[in-house]
Amino acid sequence: MKKIPSFTINHLKLLRGIYVSRKDEVGGEVITTFDIRMKEPNREPVVHAGALHTIEHLAATYLRNDPEWKDRVIYWGPMGCLTGNYLLLRGDLESKDIVELMKRTFRFIADYEGEVPGAAPQDCGNYLLHDLPMAKWEARKYLTEVLENIKPENLVYPTL
């Protein structure tokens, strides 16, 4: 079987950042998939499942309510490897186009107080797997160490 494109990225060189993972044409529109990489793969601990689940709920809620971007949001969800998230947006976009959006999103998570949206048994398939304090910690770390000082090497996949 042919390797899918995301498995052809050199994860040994991959830094934390925002990357265009792929672009697909659907119904005459371009859908851009972003790799929101919070951890350096295979070089640092992954995001704990409870924290990543909470980040998923908070980011999805925030993004789908953002006045500028809400109508372009297709999907936000965690990577199976627990090193980040995927964001799918309508439009032919580049990583630099969503830096400010990601800063706002991760600032929202880092500063969030209250009940996690959708973290109730009738709303979520695993409502007990949430960790708001760690989600806030991970969001603040990504915001301050990566997003607020983003560099070109955090916006373009490394070459093999």
Side-chain angles (χ1 to χ4, degrees):
M1 239 185 257
K2 184 178 173 185
K3 252 189 199 184
I4 64 172
S6 62
F7 295 155
T8 65
I9 303 305
N10 187 343
H11 286 70
L12 298 174
K13 293 182 178 180
L14 188 58
L15 302 174
R16 297 177 296 163
I18 301 170
Y19 303 97
V20 171
S21 177
R22 60 184 293 144
K23 293 184 182 189
D24 297 285
E25 190 172 318
V26 179
E29 280 194 90
V30 175
I31 305 296
T32 304
T33 299
F34 290 98
D35 171 336
I36 310 300
R37 191 65 63 153
M38 297 176 66
K39 299 291 183 173
E40 290 185 3
N42 305 306
R43 295 184 305 284
E44 64 179 319
V46 300
V47 182
H48 179 269
L52 197 57
H53 190 200
T54 301
I55 289 168
E56 174 196 6
H57 278 237
L58 291 171
T61 299
Y62 179 83
L63 291 165
R64 289 186 175 108
N65 284 281
D66 183 85
E68 180 185 352
W69 290 90
K70 67 182 179 182
D71 294 332
R72 299 176 89 171
V73 175
I74 305 294
Y75 173 78
W76 171 278
M79 294 176 178
C81 62
L82 307 178
T83 62
N85 299 273
Y86 288 114
L87 171 62
L88 280 69
L89 294 172
R90 282 188 314 107
D92 188 354
L93 302 163
E94 300 303 325
S95 298
K96 64 181 175 46
D97 298 331
I98 67 161
V99 170
E100 291 305 315
L101 175 63
M102 289 297 94
K103 285 181 185 177
R104 291 194 311 270
T105 301
F106 280 89
R107 191 170 295 114
F108 171 78
I109 297 165
D111 295 338
Y112 188 80
E113 297 293 333
E115 296 295 317
V116 176
Q122 68 273 16
D123 300 332
C124 177
N126 196 359
Y127 77 100
L128 294 175
L129 183 66
H130 283 280
D131 187 339
L132 181 58
M134 278 308 296
K136 293 172 64 158
W137 187 87
E138 292 284 9
R140 173 105 31 231
K141 179 176 174 58
Y142 183 63
L143 175 66
T144 59
E145 293 179 7
V146 180
L147 296 177
E148 289 178 346
N149 302 295
I150 201 123
K151 297 175 178 61
E153 59 265 27
N154 304 108
L155 296 169
V156 178
Y157 276 139
T159 58
L160 293 175

